[in-house]
Amino acid sequence: MRIRRFAAAVVLALSSLAAADNYTVDAIHSSILFKVKHADAANFYGAFEKCSGTVVTEGDVIKSVSITIDAASVQTRNEARDKHLRGPDFFDTKQFPEMTFVSKDVKASGEGYEVTGDLTMHGTTRPQTVTITKTGAGKNPRGKDVIGLESIFTIKRSDFGVSGYVGKGVGDEVTLIVSVECAKE
């Protein structure tokens, strides 16, 4: 009798565990924006056009996040400035074509998640903690389950070796706005 109760308890416990679901970032429906102070006067905004990544969930709980940004996809509405940003004064995209964030720890925090991971930019990897908010869930036009995630955080670009024009009209602090839509695989 005890063995049957134990077996039933194990089956019940195992059935209550949510299976992991993998989601892929849909770059077409995602936005990676940045803002930086210019000439100590105005905030300047730009974007990265190409990104990829994965999110793993168990039920409604986020377990891991991995985002890759194509640094050469920087767009500021000015081709000469974009070319300068791709060059050695800033992103040096020939040598460092990608920026990545890979989570190491995810904890529920209020209505979102506190995610600690490694941020790599310009060949330098540093620990970074960000707050991620789940912005929604639904089905895309193809019928796939989708979730939306957003994070807004600030970094010092010089910490990553991107120090061109710091103190010469372009701010060191950069705010990143990462808003992604992810489709279930």
Side-chain angles (χ1 to χ4, degrees):
M1 188 68 151
R2 282 189 200 172
I3 293 175
R4 281 190 216 161
R5 282 190 213 152
F6 176 74
V10 168
V11 169
L12 181 61
L14 291 174
S15 67
S16 68
L17 293 176
D21 289 316
N22 294 312
Y23 287 80
T24 300
V25 170
D26 176 354
I28 293 174
H29 296 103
S30 298
S31 299
I32 312 289
L33 308 172
F34 66 88
K35 82 173 179 178
V36 63
K37 187 75 81 163
H38 184 262
D40 288 328
N43 288 322
F44 178 80
Y45 290 83
F48 294 95
E49 301 279 315
K50 296 178 183 175
C51 66
S52 61
T54 57
V55 175
V56 176
T57 66
E58 286 183 5
D60 287 336
V61 178
I62 296 171
K63 291 301 197 177
S64 70
V65 177
S66 175
I67 303 288
T68 299
I69 299 169
D70 178 348
S73 74
V74 66
Q75 296 291 322
T76 65
R77 303 170 315 280
N78 181 285
E79 187 55 42
R81 181 177 41 230
D82 296 346
K83 184 177 179 183
H84 189 199
L85 288 171
R86 291 181 192 113
D89 284 339
F90 293 95
F91 295 114
D92 197 0
T93 60
K94 287 185 180 177
Q95 188 172 352
F96 308 107
E98 296 178 338
M99 296 179 280
T100 61
F101 177 81
V102 178
S103 67
K104 289 186 162 192
D105 186 47
V106 180
K107 295 179 184 170
S109 176
E111 293 183 24
Y113 297 87
E114 183 178 281
V115 182
T116 301
D118 287 334
L119 178 62
T120 301
M121 182 170 75
H122 204 259
T124 300
T125 301
R126 297 180 59 89
Q128 181 74 38
T129 300
V130 301
T131 300
I132 293 178
T133 304
K134 188 173 177 182
T135 57
K139 292 206 179 279
N140 68 15
R142 294 183 180 159
K144 284 191 169 189
D145 290 331
V146 292
I147 57 172
L149 304 175
E150 185 170 84
S151 182
I152 300 171
F153 59 97
T154 301
I155 63 168
K156 284 182 70 173
R157 62 189 178 94
S158 62
D159 288 345
F160 295 89
V162 182
S163 55
Y165 294 81
V166 169
K168 298 177 184 174
V170 181
D172 193 15
E173 289 191 353
V174 178
T175 299
L176 292 160
I177 304 154
V178 180
S179 181
V180 294
E181 182 175 301
C182 307
K184 189 174 179 181
E185 295 176 3

